[in-house]
Amino acid sequence: LYQPHARVYVRGKAGADTEFGLQLLLAETREGLIVDCQLTPEGVTSDVDLLLPAVDRIHASLGPESCTRIATDRGFSSAANDRALAQRGVASYTMPRNPIRIAQRFEEDDDFAPLHRRRSQTEARIGIFKALFLRDRLPARSREAQDRWVAWATLAHNLWHLARQAVIEQNETEKDPALVA
């Protein structure tokens, strides 16, 4: 093995109980633009410990008003994260670990279901990002070169996504000229 920073880790997922490589954190806007993408610097880290630094990076680069609500899967769920997000002015729509609490959140909060329908698309976004932009591997050997590769892939993804959105909007205005302002 020529990458001493790569790790073997157990995620407990069906069909892929043990994985080898690097952990990638990806955060996107509701429109699908990637606003934070990072190979975890310390090797394999619990998702719970990745959430607040990601929010802080987003706030530092885009401003605190850029991230006021966050929806994540249950791996990021913790009472401490919910308190820390509230202190940062971010509403937490993190999927609870407790199934009873999940049902309560869906009943109590009208925004919870739509945000998680949108969040479910993130899994597809990760697949697209890995397959098309990372090409399912990091060709560079050093950690610095891999970080740079991920940054370039993120930029390429966002440019691709914006171009696709422009084409979609153009097609919509051609179908309905009343949409032109």
Side-chain angles (χ1 to χ4, degrees), residues 32-106:
L33 285 175
I34 298 172
V35 292
D36 186 55
C37 188
Q38 180 188 43
L39 293 171
T40 55
E42 296 86 26
V44 180
T45 305
S46 169
D47 288 349
V48 169
D49 298 328
L50 296 174
L51 181 61
L52 297 176
V55 170
D56 291 341
R57 283 191 305 274
I58 293 167
H59 281 177
S61 62
L62 301 174
E65 66 284 343
S66 65
C67 180
T68 57
R69 299 187 312 172
I70 192 161
T72 68
D73 65 25
R74 62 178 62 178
F76 294 89
S77 180
S78 80
N81 275 352
D82 287 345
R83 285 190 301 274
L85 288 170
Q87 289 173 345
R88 288 167 171 80
V90 178
S92 176
Y93 291 88
T94 298
M95 185 69 73
R97 293 179 190 264
N98 181 328
I100 295 169
R101 184 70 185 124
I102 292 171
Q104 290 172 341
R105 287 295 306 263
F106 276 109

Side-chain angles (χ1 to χ4, degrees), residues 3-175:
Q3 295 182 9
H5 53 277
R7 300 284 182 261
V8 175
Y9 54 101
V10 178
R11 295 186 60 200
K13 289 192 170 187
D17 189 40
T18 304
E19 295 181 5
F20 177 78
L22 300 171
Q23 188 177 18
L24 177 72
L25 175 74
L26 186 142
E28 65 176 342
T29 65
R30 70 177 145 249
E31 294 83 13
L33 285 175
I34 298 172
V35 292
D36 186 55
C37 188
Q38 180 188 43
L39 293 171
T40 55
E42 296 86 26
V44 180
T45 305
S46 169
D47 288 349
V48 169
D49 298 328
L50 296 174
L51 181 61
L52 297 176
V55 170
D56 291 341
R57 283 191 305 274
I58 293 167
H59 281 177
S61 62
L62 301 174
E65 66 284 343
S66 65
C67 180
T68 57
R69 299 187 312 172
I70 192 161
T72 68
D73 65 25
R74 62 178 62 178
F76 294 89
S77 180
S78 80
N81 275 352
D82 287 345
R83 285 190 301 274
L85 288 170
Q87 289 173 345
R88 288 167 171 80
V90 178
S92 176
Y93 291 88
T94 298
M95 185 69 73
R97 293 179 190 264
N98 181 328
I100 295 169
R101 184 70 185 124
I102 292 171
Q104 290 172 341
R105 287 295 306 263
F106 276 109
E107 270 185 39
E108 296 168 357
D109 194 335
D110 293 337
D111 291 335
F112 197 77
L115 285 170
H116 279 279
R117 268 194 302 279
R118 171 62 193 91
R119 185 199 59 79
S120 67
Q121 297 171 18
T122 301
E123 297 300 325
R125 176 81 47 212
I126 291 168
I128 290 168
F129 184 74
K130 285 172 54 180
L132 298 181
F133 297 96
L134 292 180
R135 300 193 182 177
D136 286 326
R137 63 184 179 86
L138 294 174
R141 292 186 181 190
S142 75
R143 181 54 197 261
E144 295 78 21
Q146 289 174 337
D147 287 336
R148 195 168 39 255
W149 184 267
V150 169
W152 280 111
T154 302
L155 176 62
H157 168 274
N158 285 345
L159 291 172
W160 168 78
H161 184 70
L162 289 170
R164 282 185 58 227
Q165 289 306 112
V167 168
I168 290 168
E169 289 174 15
Q170 178 67 33
N171 290 340
E172 287 174 359
T173 56
E174 289 173 0
K175 289 179 186 174

